[in-house]
Amino acid sequence: MLLLLFGFHLKMGSLRSFGTLKPTITDSFVHINFMCMKTEELYAVITGASQGLGKSFAEQLAKRKINLILVSLPNQNLKEFARELENRYTVKTCYYEVDLSVNENVMKLTEWLNTSFEIYILINNAGIGGTKKFTEASPDYINTILQVNVAATSLITHQLLPNLLRQSGAYILNVSSMAAFSPIGFKTVYPASKTFIHSFSRGLYEELKETSVFVSVVNPGAMKTNPEVCKRIEKQGLLGRLTLLNPDKVASRCIERLFKKDSVIMVNPVSWLIMKVLPIWIKLPLMTKAIKREIEV
């Protein structure tokens, strides 16, 4: 049962704007033709916006007539999704395709955003995780998780914060995980990275609470974020299907509570309570045993 409390999302970043802006992708960098005119209109930035929870966030904000900048990895149909949102909700959308595991890409993205847009909502949703023996994990595997989950989230927030601070009211929502509340063997790096996100968000909230920028964090469990996650959870039987969260409902709840200024957003209170009540000496071996069975299948 405890395994069902922890979900991870395979989602990262990518951008283009309809009309004039046409970035091209190389192995490591995003090259942007800076032809997009600077606008004074307000925008929301969502990373990991091509699927799962990020896609649902975009839908929820578009329903509220909020202009969007969608960030995700290349080749994930982001252009089509952005156009769909424009047509359905009569909002302005840009999209940006980029690998957020490369720091230089992150810096180029934020430079473009600060040059071209007034931003009042930042949703750091991009994240990546996996299940693997630590001894068999490659340096690239470990580095990618840390770069996307920890470094990219921190750098994007840091670089966009001056932009957010000059708005009369602005919001940051960071997506952590229920995995932030317990270490897990055979995941190791992923829960640690989500613990960072939770702690980072709580500290930044306290630091900025006297400013115009409000900071919130959400710690969801397993969600129907992509076919791989759904397939893994469905194998856990009836209980797995019953506890699997719907990204649309999670996104709706998060946006509602964000605008009501909840600094910690709860979307699965039962799981939250269980994780708070169970001591680490129970959680850790149970979670690790369950995850070990997963990789041995």
Side-chain angles (χ1 to χ4, degrees):
M1 175 178 178
L2 282 177
L3 178 60
L4 309 176
L5 305 179
F6 298 87
F8 63 86
H9 321 300
L10 297 173
K11 48 191 186 295
M12 288 194 290
S14 157
L15 184 168
R16 285 177 192 159
S17 165
F18 297 128
T20 56
L21 180 65
K22 297 180 179 179
T24 57
I25 309 299
T26 66
D27 289 340
S28 300
F29 306 106
V30 179
H31 297 290
I32 298 175
N33 178 14
F34 288 90
M35 298 174 62
C36 186
M37 299 297 292
K38 178 175 174 61
T39 177
E40 298 300 323
E41 293 182 276
L42 294 176
Y43 277 77
V45 176
I46 306 171
T47 66
S50 62
Q51 60 181 315
L53 185 57
K55 191 172 184 179
S56 297
F57 278 137
E59 187 95 23
Q60 290 297 321
L61 292 179
K63 286 179 180 178
R64 295 172 179 256
K65 303 300 181 183
I66 295 172
N67 297 326
L68 301 171
I69 302 164
L70 309 178
V71 181
S72 185
L73 282 169
N75 305 315
Q76 297 198 357
N77 300 314
L78 202 60
K79 177 181 178 180
E80 292 75 13
F81 179 51
R83 182 171 290 132
E84 177 186 336
L85 292 177
E86 280 195 336
N87 293 336
R88 185 184 303 172
Y89 299 109
T90 319
V91 295
K92 295 181 179 179
T93 63
C94 296
Y95 70 99
Y96 193 100
E97 299 178 324
V98 65
D99 181 353
L100 293 176
S101 70
V102 180
N103 278 352
E104 187 170 351
N105 290 355
V106 174
M107 300 306 289
K108 287 185 176 182
L109 165 64
T110 56
E111 180 183 3
W112 184 81
L113 290 171
N114 282 326
T115 299
S116 305
F117 298 97
E118 295 296 322
I119 297 165
Y120 82 113
I121 299 172
L122 169 61
I123 299 181
N124 284 308
N125 171 70
I128 188 167
T131 303
K132 188 170 295 206
K133 291 182 180 179
F134 190 70
T135 54
E136 296 177 358
S138 69
D140 283 345
Y141 172 88
I142 296 169
N143 184 65
T144 299
I145 293 175
L146 292 175
Q147 288 294 324
V148 175
N149 296 6
V150 175
T153 296
S154 303
L155 287 172
I156 291 171
T157 302
H158 179 267
Q159 295 303 108
L160 295 186
L161 194 51
N163 193 325
L164 292 158
L165 282 166
R166 69 173 177 249
Q167 313 307 332
S168 59
Y171 302 87
I172 298 172
L173 174 61
N174 294 325
V175 178
S176 181
S177 169
M178 288 301 295
F181 303 111
S182 176
I184 312 171
F186 303 103
K187 282 192 178 292
T188 55
V189 180
Y190 174 76
S193 72
K194 289 301 184 177
T195 300
F196 172 88
I197 295 299
H198 185 84
S199 178
F200 168 71
S201 303
R202 300 300 290 135
L204 193 61
Y205 159 79
E206 189 68 22
E207 185 174 334
L208 297 177
K209 68 180 183 180
E210 301 300 329
T211 74
S212 61
V213 178
F214 182 81
V215 181
S216 184
V217 63
V218 61
N219 298 278
M223 278 186 293
K224 302 173 184 178
T225 54
N226 58 54
E228 180 184 346
V229 172
C230 291
K231 184 178 180 180
R232 177 173 59 84
I233 300 300
E234 289 289 334
K235 288 181 179 179
Q236 297 171 19
L238 177 61
L239 188 57
R241 292 191 292 272
L242 290 176
T243 57
L244 193 59
L245 296 174
N246 183 304
D248 293 334
K249 293 181 180 178
V250 173
S252 177
R253 169 75 174 173
C254 286
I255 298 303
E256 175 191 351
R257 302 317 302 174
L258 177 67
F259 289 148
K260 291 186 177 180
K261 297 193 172 181
D262 279 359
S263 59
V264 178
I265 299 172
M266 295 176 58
V267 293
N268 42 356
V270 175
S271 298
W272 182 283
L273 179 62
I274 292 173
M275 294 312 300
K276 287 293 186 180
V277 169
L278 285 181
I280 188 65
W281 59 269
I282 293 178
K283 289 186 291 188
L284 178 54
L286 284 178
M287 289 301 304
T288 299
K289 184 178 180 180
I291 292 297
K292 186 177 181 180
R293 287 199 302 266
E294 180 182 324
I295 66 173
E296 287 177 344
V297 172

